[in-house]
Every structure is written in structure tokens, then in C-alpha cells.
Amino acid sequence: MLHSPRLRWRTAFSYAVVIGLILLGLALYLARALDVSFGQVAVPVGVAGLLIVSLMVFQAERAAATVRRLTEVVERIGGGDLDARIRSFSSGEIGQLARAFNRMADKLQKEMEKRARQKDRLNTVLYALTDGVLIVNRHGDVRLLNPAAERLLHTKAEHALDRSVTQAVRDHRIVEVYSRCVQSGQEEVAMLELEGGRVLRVVATPYLKGRQRGHVLILQDLTRLHQLQTVRQDFISNISHELRTPLASLRALVDTLADGALDDPPAAQRFLQRMAIEVDALAQMTEELFELARIESGQAPLRLRAMPAADVIGLGAERLRPQAERANLTLQIDLSGDLPEVVVDPDRVQQVVTNLLHNAIKFTPAGGTIRVSACAEANAGEILVTVQDTGAGIAPDDLPRIFERFYKADRARSSGGAGLGLAIAKHIVQAHGGRIWVESTPGKGSTFCFSLPRAAGD
């Protein structure tokens, strides 16, 4: 308690008493030795003693002040002020102590700043990761989780930190992976299918040993990858189906011709016509696939210009009127003459309309109705085009994937086409900055909608 003035003065008084007794004895000794009176010796000895006591008090106060400053700096550093230092000009041991303490504080500050930079880099990496990360201590409590983990686990940091793994993740399958890692002391991996169709890869691995040991849980959302794998598998299945049918027909026709049908000119002519139809189907599928690849890769630039919306949409719809009439369908084209102009590539937009109409004609039974209409959205900067039919409709499970290339709903398996028309329509609309979607009720028909940007000023 060197900072207590009362204690300091008690200490100084004690020293003064001791020194006074020593000086009194010294004065008595000198008086006897020099054979002089005590008064003659007492004055100079008293003056010398006073100087000595003053010097000692001064030195003690300097040392105490340095120690007090040292105590204050220690408390400031302990409170987080790493810039605090002792200012001491003393050349004695106390001064050496102060300078040594300053050097120690400098090293401590550099080490703390280094650790802070490392922590910042770690936090930056963790917070930028799309994979969820949980760090669990040796007691099984969550000490850290990043935003990706909060999103994947549908939780918040305040609800998970310092809680057990079970309380934090709230999924027994993830807890089982963690428990296996704790028991085996080795990395454990599992693939989990969560509700909503999400696919999660869970990796649990131990880190460090002894009292600092813990575990890291990594959560990887592989839903998109799983969907892409499903699309790839469906693509292979669909393209195989689409190729198998015409190739099998061609093979049968060639075999029939080789077996003697060539000797019957009318029959040979019919077989050749059938072969031409199958070859045309293969050529159309190849052309559509090539077209889709060009659109997706941006190698099919749009030739944009402002045109009346009714002209662009109406021309594309009229092209399919003869086909609709042959199928005994009623095609209604409801396009107001006061529709605003749109900024589009007319050939591409007409391709969208014909693809949607062709799809509607294919799945609408005889006697049905197909209606093409458009309207301008107020203050939306776009127009909406709809193609509505009274056909078979689309099952709810098929709706999310109806615009994927080569994807065919069960109702389309026996129909012609390669399943590329809707995929091409989607990419053309998106290239124009528009949207495309479908609403459908099985047994009651479907409504395909897409938007187009209006011309400036309209």
C-alpha cells in the first residue's frame, strides 16, 4: 500500500527516530573523544543528521512515486490500455525496474496486436465462408459459430453460444456425427437430407489435445450440387429416350427395306418418308440443343429495337393458327391496339410465343381453347404476356422443373419433341431482362406468363 500517505509518513517517522538515536549516540561519543561539551558537537551532528534524513525521505518519495506509477500502469494495462507506459528518469534500481517493465509492456503489446490481427483474419475467413462452422470446447459447449451456420441451422448466435451441441444444432443426426467423432477421436463425415429437400454434408473433426482440446463441426450445403446431379441424370435419361425412339424407328425401317421392301416401290416410298420424318426429328432436336447452348453462352446476341407489342406477339401467335385448327382447337388472340412499344429482339420473342403455343397445342385435347393475351402493368415498366390453355395441366411436383432442358413431365413422355422449347423460351425472356413462370391446375389447364420491357417514354 505504497500509495497510502498515512503509512508513508509513519514509515518516515520510524526511520527518523532510528537515525535520531544513532546521531545522539554519535554526538555523545564525539564529545567524549574530543573532550568538548555536548552542545558543541550536537549542532553540527544535528545539521548533518537533518540533511541525511531529508535526503533519505526524498529518495524514498521518489522510489514510492515510481512504484505508484508502476502500479497505476499495471492496472491500466490490465484494463486493456496497452499504450500505458511508466515515465521514470531514475538511474537506480527502481528506474531499471521501470524500464524493464516498459520493455515487457512493448513486447506484450506487439504480441497482443499480432494475436488480434490473427483473430481478425480468422473471423474474416469464418464470416466469409459459405460453409457453416461451429467450434466446440472440450465440455461440448459451442464457443463460436459463423453466419453460415446460423443460416443452415435456422438459429442465432445468442441462442447457440455457450450451449451444448444438442441445444445449438437441434438435430439428432448432426449430434450423432459429433458424438462419433468424440468417441473415436477421428474425423467423421455424414450426408444428411433435411426437410425442404436440403442436402447437408456434416464433417466433425477434433483439434488440439489436452485441456485445450475441442472439435470443429463443418456444415456444407450441397443442395444445389445435388440438384445439378439430378438434372444431369435426368438429362442423360431424357436424351437417351429422345435418341432411342427415332434411332429404333430408323433401324426398323432400314431392316425392313433390306429384307425386301425395296422390291415394292410403293412400300419403299412410305418407308423412306417415315425415315425422313425421323431424320427431321433428330435434326430439330440437334438444332434446338445448339440454339439453347448459344443462348446460354451469350453467343446469340439480341438485336433489340422498339416495336409495338401487339405486332410482335400477334405475328408469333398467328404462325401457329393453322396447327391449332388442324388439332380442332380454338385459338383466341386478345391483343389491344393501344399496347405500348417494347424493346425486344422480335424474332426471339416470336420464338418464345411459338414455343409456348406449340406446347399448349400439344397438350390440349380437341375442342379446347387456347388464349393469347397481353396487358401493360401500370408503373411497372413492362408488359405481361399470357398463353392460357384448357389442357391436361401440370402436376405440382413438375412445376419447379418445367423450364429445365430435356425435362418432361409424365404427361409428355409419349408426345413428340425433345423437351427444349420451354428451356429456350426461359433463356430468351431472361436475356431481355424479363420473367417467365407458369400456373397450372391438373385437369384444368395451364397459364404461361412472361414479361417484356417497355420502351422508354411509353
Side-chain angles (χ1 to χ4, degrees), residues 235 285-301 348 351 405-406 420 423-424 427-428:
F235 168 78
M285 182 177 65
T286 304
E287 181 62 28
E288 288 180 345
L289 187 58
F290 178 68
E291 178 75 3
L292 181 59
R294 291 179 66 235
I295 294 173
E296 287 181 336
S297 62
Q299 296 179 2
R348 294 293 184 186
Q351 186 179 6
R405 67 169 88 182
F406 286 107
L420 293 171
I424 292 174
H427 283 87
I428 291 175

Side-chain angles (χ1 to χ4, degrees), residues 13 24 58 119 126 168 179 192 245 270 283 316 335 349 399:
F13 179 75
L24 178 60
F58 174 73
K119 184 178 180 180
L126 287 176
S179 299
L192 307 179
T245 301
R270 289 197 306 274
L335 299 173
V349 171
L399 286 175

